[in-house]
PDB file of all heavy atoms in Angstrom:
ATOM      1  N   GLU A  65      -9.500   8.791  20.994  1.00 94.00           N
ATOM      2  CA  GLU A  65      -9.380   9.912  20.069  1.00 94.00           C
ATOM      3  C   GLU A  65      -8.888   9.464  18.698  1.00 94.00           C
ATOM      4  O   GLU A  65      -7.688   9.305  18.471  1.00 94.00           O
ATOM      5  CB  GLU A  65      -8.413  10.948  20.666  1.00 94.00           C
ATOM      6  CG  GLU A  65      -8.478  12.268  19.982  1.00 94.00           C
ATOM      7  CD  GLU A  65      -7.595  13.291  20.691  1.00 94.00           C
ATOM      8  OE1 GLU A  65      -7.464  13.243  21.925  1.00 94.00           O
ATOM      9  OE2 GLU A  65      -7.049  14.129  19.973  1.00 94.00           O
ATOM     10  N   PRO A  66      -9.814   9.265  17.766  1.00 93.00           N
ATOM     11  CA  PRO A  66      -9.426   8.792  16.427  1.00 93.00           C
ATOM     12  C   PRO A  66      -8.404   9.680  15.718  1.00 93.00           C
ATOM     13  O   PRO A  66      -7.525   9.177  15.028  1.00 93.00           O
ATOM     14  CB  PRO A  66     -10.749   8.742  15.661  1.00 93.00           C
ATOM     15  CG  PRO A  66     -11.794   8.594  16.721  1.00 93.00           C
ATOM     16  CD  PRO A  66     -11.273   9.358  17.915  1.00 93.00           C
ATOM     17  N   ALA A  67      -8.497  10.976  15.880  1.00 94.00           N
ATOM     18  CA  ALA A  67      -7.532  11.876  15.215  1.00 94.00           C
ATOM     19  C   ALA A  67      -6.123  11.653  15.755  1.00 94.00           C
ATOM     20  O   ALA A  67      -5.142  11.711  15.003  1.00 94.00           O
ATOM     21  CB  ALA A  67      -7.948  13.332  15.399  1.00 94.00           C
ATOM     22  N   TYR A  68      -6.023  11.384  17.036  1.00 94.00           N
ATOM     23  CA  TYR A  68      -4.726  11.089  17.627  1.00 94.00           C
ATOM     24  C   TYR A  68      -4.180   9.779  17.073  1.00 94.00           C
ATOM     25  O   TYR A  68      -2.994   9.669  16.752  1.00 94.00           O
ATOM     26  CB  TYR A  68      -4.854  11.023  19.149  1.00 94.00           C
ATOM     27  CG  TYR A  68      -3.545  10.753  19.842  1.00 94.00           C
ATOM     28  CD1 TYR A  68      -2.578  11.740  19.954  1.00 94.00           C
ATOM     29  CD2 TYR A  68      -3.272   9.506  20.393  1.00 94.00           C
ATOM     30  CE1 TYR A  68      -1.371  11.502  20.588  1.00 94.00           C
ATOM     31  CE2 TYR A  68      -2.062   9.252  21.024  1.00 94.00           C
ATOM     32  CZ  TYR A  68      -1.120  10.251  21.122  1.00 94.00           C
ATOM     33  OH  TYR A  68       0.073  10.001  21.742  1.00 94.00           O
ATOM     34  N   ALA A  69      -5.054   8.791  16.931  1.00 93.00           N
ATOM     35  CA  ALA A  69      -4.643   7.514  16.366  1.00 93.00           C
ATOM     36  C   ALA A  69      -4.098   7.683  14.954  1.00 93.00           C
ATOM     37  O   ALA A  69      -3.101   7.061  14.586  1.00 93.00           O
ATOM     38  CB  ALA A  69      -5.814   6.522  16.375  1.00 93.00           C
ATOM     39  N   VAL A  70      -4.722   8.537  14.170  1.00 94.00           N
ATOM     40  CA  VAL A  70      -4.260   8.806  12.813  1.00 94.00           C
ATOM     41  C   VAL A  70      -2.864   9.431  12.847  1.00 94.00           C
ATOM     42  O   VAL A  70      -1.981   9.064  12.068  1.00 94.00           O
ATOM     43  CB  VAL A  70      -5.269   9.707  12.059  1.00 94.00           C
ATOM     44  CG1 VAL A  70      -4.679  10.231  10.754  1.00 94.00           C
ATOM     45  CG2 VAL A  70      -6.557   8.955  11.791  1.00 94.00           C
ATOM     46  N   ALA A  71      -2.635  10.366  13.750  1.00 94.00           N
ATOM     47  CA  ALA A  71      -1.327  11.027  13.842  1.00 94.00           C
ATOM     48  C   ALA A  71      -0.239  10.045  14.268  1.00 94.00           C
ATOM     49  O   ALA A  71       0.860  10.049  13.705  1.00 94.00           O
ATOM     50  CB  ALA A  71      -1.401  12.189  14.825  1.00 94.00           C
ATOM     51  N   VAL A  72      -0.539   9.186  15.242  1.00 94.00           N
ATOM     52  CA  VAL A  72       0.447   8.199  15.687  1.00 94.00           C
ATOM     53  C   VAL A  72       0.718   7.197  14.572  1.00 94.00           C
ATOM     54  O   VAL A  72       1.867   6.836  14.297  1.00 94.00           O
ATOM     55  CB  VAL A  72      -0.018   7.487  16.985  1.00 94.00           C
ATOM     56  CG1 VAL A  72       0.902   6.312  17.323  1.00 94.00           C
ATOM     57  CG2 VAL A  72      -0.050   8.479  18.130  1.00 94.00           C
ATOM     58  N   ARG A  73      -0.330   6.751  13.891  1.00 94.00           N
ATOM     59  CA  ARG A  73      -0.158   5.806  12.769  1.00 94.00           C
ATOM     60  C   ARG A  73       0.725   6.427  11.690  1.00 94.00           C
ATOM     61  O   ARG A  73       1.626   5.772  11.157  1.00 94.00           O
ATOM     62  CB  ARG A  73      -1.512   5.411  12.193  1.00 94.00           C
ATOM     63  CG  ARG A  73      -1.416   4.333  11.147  1.00 94.00           C
ATOM     64  CD  ARG A  73      -2.784   3.870  10.635  1.00 94.00           C
ATOM     65  NE  ARG A  73      -3.677   3.498  11.710  1.00 94.00           N
ATOM     66  CZ  ARG A  73      -4.785   4.177  12.051  1.00 94.00           C
ATOM     67  NH1 ARG A  73      -5.116   5.274  11.394  1.00 94.00           N
ATOM     68  NH2 ARG A  73      -5.541   3.771  13.033  1.00 94.00           N
ATOM     69  N   ALA A  74       0.516   7.697  11.378  1.00 94.00           N
ATOM     70  CA  ALA A  74       1.335   8.360  10.363  1.00 94.00           C
ATOM     71  C   ALA A  74       2.794   8.430  10.801  1.00 94.00           C
ATOM     72  O   ALA A  74       3.701   8.212   9.989  1.00 94.00           O
ATOM     73  CB  ALA A  74       0.789   9.764  10.086  1.00 94.00           C
ATOM     74  N   ALA A  75       3.025   8.697  12.078  1.00 94.00           N
ATOM     75  CA  ALA A  75       4.403   8.760  12.585  1.00 94.00           C
ATOM     76  C   ALA A  75       5.068   7.392  12.534  1.00 94.00           C
ATOM     77  O   ALA A  75       6.241   7.274  12.195  1.00 94.00           O
ATOM     78  CB  ALA A  75       4.413   9.316  14.004  1.00 94.00           C
ATOM     79  N   VAL A  76       4.313   6.361  12.851  1.00 94.00           N
ATOM     80  CA  VAL A  76       4.859   5.002  12.790  1.00 94.00           C
ATOM     81  C   VAL A  76       5.143   4.600  11.347  1.00 94.00           C
ATOM     82  O   VAL A  76       6.190   4.020  11.037  1.00 94.00           O
ATOM     83  CB  VAL A  76       3.904   3.995  13.479  1.00 94.00           C
ATOM     84  CG1 VAL A  76       4.291   2.562  13.168  1.00 94.00           C
ATOM     85  CG2 VAL A  76       3.910   4.234  14.993  1.00 94.00           C
ATOM     86  N   LEU A  77       4.238   4.936  10.440  1.00 93.00           N
ATOM     87  CA  LEU A  77       4.467   4.627   9.025  1.00 93.00           C
ATOM     88  C   LEU A  77       5.703   5.352   8.499  1.00 93.00           C
ATOM     89  O   LEU A  77       6.448   4.795   7.686  1.00 93.00           O
ATOM     90  CB  LEU A  77       3.235   4.987   8.191  1.00 93.00           C
ATOM     91  CG  LEU A  77       2.046   4.049   8.347  1.00 93.00           C
ATOM     92  CD1 LEU A  77       0.833   4.611   7.623  1.00 93.00           C
ATOM     93  CD2 LEU A  77       2.380   2.654   7.867  1.00 93.00           C
ATOM     94  N   LYS A  78       5.927   6.559   8.965  1.00 94.00           N
ATOM     95  CA  LYS A  78       7.124   7.308   8.572  1.00 94.00           C
ATOM     96  C   LYS A  78       8.378   6.552   9.008  1.00 94.00           C
ATOM     97  O   LYS A  78       9.354   6.467   8.270  1.00 94.00           O
ATOM     98  CB  LYS A  78       7.094   8.701   9.205  1.00 94.00           C
ATOM     99  CG  LYS A  78       8.308   9.535   8.942  1.00 94.00           C
ATOM    100  CD  LYS A  78       8.399   9.939   7.502  1.00 94.00           C
ATOM    101  CE  LYS A  78       9.577  10.875   7.322  1.00 94.00           C
ATOM    102  NZ  LYS A  78       9.870  11.126   5.949  1.00 94.00           N
ATOM    103  N   ALA A  79       8.332   5.967  10.210  1.00 93.00           N
ATOM    104  CA  ALA A  79       9.471   5.181  10.696  1.00 93.00           C
ATOM    105  C   ALA A  79       9.706   3.967   9.811  1.00 93.00           C
ATOM    106  O   ALA A  79      10.853   3.605   9.536  1.00 93.00           O
ATOM    107  CB  ALA A  79       9.246   4.767  12.140  1.00 93.00           C
ATOM    108  N   TYR A  80       8.639   3.342   9.345  1.00 93.00           N
ATOM    109  CA  TYR A  80       8.786   2.192   8.449  1.00 93.00           C
ATOM    110  C   TYR A  80       9.412   2.600   7.119  1.00 93.00           C
ATOM    111  O   TYR A  80      10.038   1.782   6.452  1.00 93.00           O
ATOM    112  CB  TYR A  80       7.434   1.518   8.190  1.00 93.00           C
ATOM    113  CG  TYR A  80       7.106   0.440   9.188  1.00 93.00           C
ATOM    114  CD1 TYR A  80       6.231   0.665  10.230  1.00 93.00           C
ATOM    115  CD2 TYR A  80       7.689  -0.824   9.090  1.00 93.00           C
ATOM    116  CE1 TYR A  80       5.933  -0.325  11.148  1.00 93.00           C
ATOM    117  CE2 TYR A  80       7.406  -1.819   9.996  1.00 93.00           C
ATOM    118  CZ  TYR A  80       6.526  -1.572  11.014  1.00 93.00           C
ATOM    119  OH  TYR A  80       6.244  -2.543  11.925  1.00 93.00           O
ATOM    120  N   ALA A  81       9.266   3.845   6.732  1.00 93.00           N
ATOM    121  CA  ALA A  81       9.832   4.320   5.465  1.00 93.00           C
ATOM    122  C   ALA A  81      11.327   4.633   5.567  1.00 93.00           C
ATOM    123  O   ALA A  81      11.966   4.896   4.560  1.00 93.00           O
ATOM    124  CB  ALA A  81       9.071   5.558   4.991  1.00 93.00           C
ATOM    125  N   ILE A  82      11.868   4.588   6.770  1.00 94.00           N
ATOM    126  CA  ILE A  82      13.287   4.892   6.985  1.00 94.00           C
ATOM    127  C   ILE A  82      14.023   3.584   7.245  1.00 94.00           C
ATOM    128  O   ILE A  82      13.833   2.956   8.292  1.00 94.00           O
ATOM    129  CB  ILE A  82      13.463   5.875   8.166  1.00 94.00           C
ATOM    130  CG1 ILE A  82      12.709   7.173   7.827  1.00 94.00           C
ATOM    131  CG2 ILE A  82      14.929   6.134   8.463  1.00 94.00           C
ATOM    132  CD1 ILE A  82      12.527   8.104   8.989  1.00 94.00           C
ATOM    133  N   PRO A  83      14.837   3.135   6.300  1.00 93.00           N
ATOM    134  CA  PRO A  83      15.485   1.827   6.432  1.00 93.00           C
ATOM    135  C   PRO A  83      16.241   1.619   7.742  1.00 93.00           C
ATOM    136  O   PRO A  83      16.214   0.522   8.298  1.00 93.00           O
ATOM    137  CB  PRO A  83      16.439   1.772   5.234  1.00 93.00           C
ATOM    138  CG  PRO A  83      15.822   2.686   4.227  1.00 93.00           C
ATOM    139  CD  PRO A  83      15.170   3.776   5.029  1.00 93.00           C
ATOM    140  N   ALA A  84      16.887   2.653   8.261  1.00 91.00           N
ATOM    141  CA  ALA A  84      17.649   2.508   9.502  1.00 91.00           C
ATOM    142  C   ALA A  84      16.752   2.195  10.699  1.00 91.00           C
ATOM    143  O   ALA A  84      17.217   1.653  11.690  1.00 91.00           O
ATOM    144  CB  ALA A  84      18.460   3.776   9.774  1.00 91.00           C
ATOM    145  N   LEU A  85      15.486   2.520  10.617  1.00 92.00           N
ATOM    146  CA  LEU A  85      14.530   2.181  11.679  1.00 92.00           C
ATOM    147  C   LEU A  85      13.733   0.929  11.323  1.00 92.00           C
ATOM    148  O   LEU A  85      13.496   0.074  12.173  1.00 92.00           O
ATOM    149  CB  LEU A  85      13.566   3.348  11.930  1.00 92.00           C
ATOM    150  CG  LEU A  85      14.173   4.619  12.476  1.00 92.00           C
ATOM    151  CD1 LEU A  85      13.132   5.712  12.558  1.00 92.00           C
ATOM    152  CD2 LEU A  85      14.802   4.374  13.833  1.00 92.00           C
ATOM    153  N   ALA A  86      13.311   0.827  10.075  1.00 92.00           N
ATOM    154  CA  ALA A  86      12.437  -0.272   9.647  1.00 92.00           C
ATOM    155  C   ALA A  86      13.069  -1.639   9.837  1.00 92.00           C
ATOM    156  O   ALA A  86      12.364  -2.607  10.131  1.00 92.00           O
ATOM    157  CB  ALA A  86      12.043  -0.081   8.188  1.00 92.00           C
ATOM    158  N   ARG A  87      14.381  -1.730   9.740  1.00 89.00           N
ATOM    159  CA  ARG A  87      15.021  -3.045   9.848  1.00 89.00           C
ATOM    160  C   ARG A  87      14.836  -3.655  11.232  1.00 89.00           C
ATOM    161  O   ARG A  87      14.988  -4.848  11.405  1.00 89.00           O
ATOM    162  CB  ARG A  87      16.492  -2.971   9.468  1.00 89.00           C
ATOM    163  CG  ARG A  87      17.390  -2.280  10.481  1.00 89.00           C
ATOM    164  CD  ARG A  87      18.858  -2.373  10.106  1.00 89.00           C
ATOM    165  NE  ARG A  87      19.141  -1.872   8.791  1.00 89.00           N
ATOM    166  CZ  ARG A  87      19.759  -0.738   8.509  1.00 89.00           C
ATOM    167  NH1 ARG A  87      20.193   0.019   9.489  1.00 89.00           N
ATOM    168  NH2 ARG A  87      19.940  -0.353   7.293  1.00 89.00           N
ATOM    169  N   TYR A  88      14.497  -2.847  12.223  1.00 87.00           N
ATOM    170  CA  TYR A  88      14.312  -3.348  13.595  1.00 87.00           C
ATOM    171  C   TYR A  88      12.842  -3.540  13.961  1.00 87.00           C
ATOM    172  O   TYR A  88      12.539  -3.937  15.083  1.00 87.00           O
ATOM    173  CB  TYR A  88      14.947  -2.371  14.600  1.00 87.00           C
ATOM    174  CG  TYR A  88      16.418  -2.204  14.368  1.00 87.00           C
ATOM    175  CD1 TYR A  88      16.935  -1.054  13.781  1.00 87.00           C
ATOM    176  CD2 TYR A  88      17.314  -3.219  14.715  1.00 87.00           C
ATOM    177  CE1 TYR A  88      18.300  -0.909  13.560  1.00 87.00           C
ATOM    178  CE2 TYR A  88      18.669  -3.079  14.489  1.00 87.00           C
ATOM    179  CZ  TYR A  88      19.150  -1.923  13.911  1.00 87.00           C
ATOM    180  OH  TYR A  88      20.502  -1.786  13.677  1.00 87.00           O
ATOM    181  N   LEU A  89      11.947  -3.252  13.030  1.00 91.00           N
ATOM    182  CA  LEU A  89      10.519  -3.311  13.318  1.00 91.00           C
ATOM    183  C   LEU A  89       9.886  -4.573  12.761  1.00 91.00           C
ATOM    184  O   LEU A  89      10.342  -5.106  11.749  1.00 91.00           O
ATOM    185  CB  LEU A  89       9.828  -2.077  12.732  1.00 91.00           C
ATOM    186  CG  LEU A  89      10.302  -0.734  13.291  1.00 91.00           C
ATOM    187  CD1 LEU A  89       9.630   0.411  12.553  1.00 91.00           C
ATOM    188  CD2 LEU A  89      10.034  -0.656  14.783  1.00 91.00           C
ATOM    189  N   PRO A  90       8.807  -5.032  13.384  1.00 91.00           N
ATOM    190  CA  PRO A  90       8.118  -6.220  12.868  1.00 91.00           C
ATOM    191  C   PRO A  90       7.423  -5.921  11.545  1.00 91.00           C
ATOM    192  O   PRO A  90       7.075  -4.777  11.251  1.00 91.00           O
ATOM    193  CB  PRO A  90       7.106  -6.547  13.967  1.00 91.00           C
ATOM    194  CG  PRO A  90       6.899  -5.269  14.701  1.00 91.00           C
ATOM    195  CD  PRO A  90       8.184  -4.492  14.581  1.00 91.00           C
ATOM    196  N   ASP A  91       7.211  -6.948  10.780  1.00 87.00           N
ATOM    197  CA  ASP A  91       6.514  -6.831   9.504  1.00 87.00           C
ATOM    198  C   ASP A  91       5.087  -6.343   9.761  1.00 87.00           C
ATOM    199  O   ASP A  91       4.369  -6.956  10.539  1.00 87.00           O
ATOM    200  CB  ASP A  91       6.498  -8.189   8.803  1.00 87.00           C
ATOM    201  CG  ASP A  91       5.917  -8.133   7.415  1.00 87.00           C
ATOM    202  OD1 ASP A  91       5.415  -7.071   7.000  1.00 87.00           O
ATOM    203  OD2 ASP A  91       5.954  -9.169   6.740  1.00 87.00           O
ATOM    204  N   PRO A  92       4.677  -5.243   9.126  1.00 78.00           N
ATOM    205  CA  PRO A  92       3.331  -4.728   9.394  1.00 78.00           C
ATOM    206  C   PRO A  92       2.212  -5.572   8.804  1.00 78.00           C
ATOM    207  O   PRO A  92       1.070  -5.459   9.217  1.00 78.00           O
ATOM    208  CB  PRO A  92       3.349  -3.345   8.759  1.00 78.00           C
ATOM    209  CG  PRO A  92       4.397  -3.415   7.722  1.00 78.00           C
ATOM    210  CD  PRO A  92       5.423  -4.389   8.221  1.00 78.00           C
ATOM    211  N   ALA A  93       2.528  -6.437   7.870  1.00 68.00           N
ATOM    212  CA  ALA A  93       1.516  -7.308   7.276  1.00 68.00           C
ATOM    213  C   ALA A  93       1.841  -8.743   7.644  1.00 68.00           C
ATOM    214  O   ALA A  93       2.837  -9.287   7.183  1.00 68.00           O
ATOM    215  CB  ALA A  93       1.510  -7.145   5.763  1.00 68.00           C
ATOM    216  N   PRO A  94       1.032  -9.354   8.512  1.00 59.00           N
ATOM    217  CA  PRO A  94       1.338 -10.722   8.905  1.00 59.00           C
ATOM    218  C   PRO A  94       1.291 -11.666   7.700  1.00 59.00           C
ATOM    219  O   PRO A  94       0.490 -11.499   6.795  1.00 59.00           O
ATOM    220  CB  PRO A  94       0.249 -11.072   9.911  1.00 59.00           C
ATOM    221  CG  PRO A  94      -0.810 -10.051   9.724  1.00 59.00           C
ATOM    222  CD  PRO A  94      -0.184  -8.852   9.084  1.00 59.00           C
ATOM    223  N   VAL A  95       2.169 -12.621   7.708  1.00 50.00           N
ATOM    224  CA  VAL A  95       2.254 -13.586   6.627  1.00 50.00           C
ATOM    225  C   VAL A  95       1.251 -14.713   6.909  1.00 50.00           C
ATOM    226  O   VAL A  95       1.221 -15.265   8.001  1.00 50.00           O
ATOM    227  CB  VAL A  95       3.681 -14.179   6.534  1.00 50.00           C
ATOM    228  CG1 VAL A  95       3.747 -15.264   5.479  1.00 50.00           C
ATOM    229  CG2 VAL A  95       4.670 -13.077   6.251  1.00 50.00           C
ATOM    230  N   VAL A  96       0.427 -15.025   5.920  1.00 52.00           N
ATOM    231  CA  VAL A  96      -0.503 -16.140   6.048  1.00 52.00           C
ATOM    232  C   VAL A  96       0.071 -17.299   5.268  1.00 52.00           C
ATOM    233  O   VAL A  96       0.296 -17.212   4.066  1.00 52.00           O
ATOM    234  CB  VAL A  96      -1.909 -15.766   5.516  1.00 52.00           C
ATOM    235  CG1 VAL A  96      -2.838 -16.958   5.584  1.00 52.00           C
ATOM    236  CG2 VAL A  96      -2.469 -14.596   6.294  1.00 52.00           C
ATOM    237  N   ARG A  97       0.337 -18.364   5.971  1.00 52.00           N
ATOM    238  CA  ARG A  97       0.911 -19.539   5.334  1.00 52.00           C
ATOM    239  C   ARG A  97      -0.186 -20.377   4.703  1.00 52.00           C
ATOM    240  O   ARG A  97      -1.323 -20.340   5.179  1.00 52.00           O
ATOM    241  CB  ARG A  97       1.662 -20.338   6.377  1.00 52.00           C
ATOM    242  CG  ARG A  97       2.728 -19.459   7.046  1.00 52.00           C
ATOM    243  CD  ARG A  97       3.932 -20.200   7.465  1.00 52.00           C
ATOM    244  NE  ARG A  97       5.060 -19.495   7.989  1.00 52.00           N
ATOM    245  CZ  ARG A  97       5.256 -18.248   8.301  1.00 52.00           C
ATOM    246  NH1 ARG A  97       4.325 -17.390   8.125  1.00 52.00           N
ATOM    247  NH2 ARG A  97       6.381 -17.797   8.794  1.00 52.00           N
ATOM    248  N   PRO A  98       0.110 -21.126   3.640  1.00 55.00           N
ATOM    249  CA  PRO A  98      -0.914 -21.914   2.956  1.00 55.00           C
ATOM    250  C   PRO A  98      -1.684 -22.859   3.875  1.00 55.00           C
ATOM    251  O   PRO A  98      -2.850 -23.113   3.664  1.00 55.00           O
ATOM    252  CB  PRO A  98      -0.148 -22.694   1.893  1.00 55.00           C
ATOM    253  CG  PRO A  98       1.128 -21.943   1.706  1.00 55.00           C
ATOM    254  CD  PRO A  98       1.400 -21.245   3.004  1.00 55.00           C
ATOM    255  N   HIS A  99      -1.036 -23.377   4.907  1.00 54.00           N
ATOM    256  CA  HIS A  99      -1.719 -24.314   5.791  1.00 54.00           C
ATOM    257  C   HIS A  99      -2.603 -23.610   6.826  1.00 54.00           C
ATOM    258  O   HIS A  99      -3.353 -24.251   7.534  1.00 54.00           O
ATOM    259  CB  HIS A  99      -0.704 -25.216   6.499  1.00 54.00           C
ATOM    260  CG  HIS A  99       0.192 -24.473   7.439  1.00 54.00           C
ATOM    261  ND1 HIS A  99       1.292 -23.788   7.016  1.00 54.00           N
ATOM    262  CD2 HIS A  99       0.130 -24.287   8.788  1.00 54.00           C
ATOM    263  CE1 HIS A  99       1.883 -23.227   8.053  1.00 54.00           C
ATOM    264  NE2 HIS A  99       1.189 -23.510   9.139  1.00 54.00           N
ATOM    265  N   GLN A 100      -2.551 -22.280   6.878  1.00 50.00           N
ATOM    266  CA  GLN A 100      -3.407 -21.533   7.792  1.00 50.00           C
ATOM    267  C   GLN A 100      -4.694 -21.147   7.086  1.00 50.00           C
ATOM    268  O   GLN A 100      -4.678 -20.773   5.925  1.00 50.00           O
ATOM    269  CB  GLN A 100      -2.705 -20.257   8.280  1.00 50.00           C
ATOM    270  CG  GLN A 100      -1.518 -20.508   9.135  1.00 50.00           C
ATOM    271  CD  GLN A 100      -0.829 -19.173   9.473  1.00 50.00           C
ATOM    272  OE1 GLN A 100      -0.812 -18.254   8.665  1.00 50.00           O
ATOM    273  NE2 GLN A 100      -0.282 -19.095  10.670  1.00 50.00           N
ATOM    274  N   GLN A 101      -5.778 -21.235   7.803  1.00 52.00           N
ATOM    275  CA  GLN A 101      -7.040 -20.812   7.223  1.00 52.00           C
ATOM    276  C   GLN A 101      -7.292 -19.380   7.602  1.00 52.00           C
ATOM    277  O   GLN A 101      -6.906 -18.920   8.666  1.00 52.00           O
ATOM    278  CB  GLN A 101      -8.177 -21.662   7.752  1.00 52.00           C
ATOM    279  CG  GLN A 101      -8.210 -23.054   7.176  1.00 52.00           C
ATOM    280  CD  GLN A 101      -9.482 -23.767   7.604  1.00 52.00           C
ATOM    281  OE1 GLN A 101     -10.025 -23.459   8.663  1.00 52.00           O
ATOM    282  NE2 GLN A 101      -9.931 -24.678   6.812  1.00 52.00           N
ATOM    283  N   SER A 102      -7.962 -18.693   6.721  1.00 50.00           N
ATOM    284  CA  SER A 102      -8.339 -17.324   7.026  1.00 50.00           C
ATOM    285  C   SER A 102      -9.481 -17.358   8.043  1.00 50.00           C
ATOM    286  O   SER A 102     -10.266 -18.303   8.058  1.00 50.00           O
ATOM    287  CB  SER A 102      -8.734 -16.616   5.744  1.00 50.00           C
ATOM    288  OG  SER A 102     -10.046 -16.220   5.753  1.00 50.00           O
ATOM    289  N   PRO A 103      -9.607 -16.337   8.875  1.00 53.00           N
ATOM    290  CA  PRO A 103     -10.688 -16.311   9.847  1.00 53.00           C
ATOM    291  C   PRO A 103     -12.052 -16.297   9.208  1.00 53.00           C
ATOM    292  O   PRO A 103     -13.037 -16.672   9.833  1.00 53.00           O
ATOM    293  CB  PRO A 103     -10.469 -15.008  10.611  1.00 53.00           C
ATOM    294  CG  PRO A 103      -9.145 -14.489  10.208  1.00 53.00           C
ATOM    295  CD  PRO A 103      -8.738 -15.220   8.982  1.00 53.00           C
ATOM    296  N   ASP A 104     -12.141 -15.920   7.938  1.00 54.00           N
ATOM    297  CA  ASP A 104     -13.424 -15.876   7.241  1.00 54.00           C
ATOM    298  C   ASP A 104     -13.793 -17.212   6.621  1.00 54.00           C
ATOM    299  O   ASP A 104     -14.881 -17.377   6.106  1.00 54.00           O
ATOM    300  CB  ASP A 104     -13.393 -14.815   6.140  1.00 54.00           C
ATOM    301  CG  ASP A 104     -13.174 -13.429   6.715  1.00 54.00           C
ATOM    302  OD1 ASP A 104     -13.547 -13.211   7.888  1.00 54.00           O
ATOM    303  OD2 ASP A 104     -12.638 -12.570   6.001  1.00 54.00           O
TER     304      ASP A 104
END
Side-chain angles (χ1 to χ4, degrees):
E65 194 175 326
Y68 181 74
V70 168
V72 171
R73 186 176 308 111
V76 167
L77 286 172
K78 177 69 175 170
Y80 270 101
I82 299 167
L85 295 175
R87 73 174 55 108
Y88 300 105
L89 299 175
D91 186 354
V95 176
V96 177
R97 304 212 174 6
H99 65 279
Q100 293 176 326
Q101 286 188 332
S102 117
D104 298 333

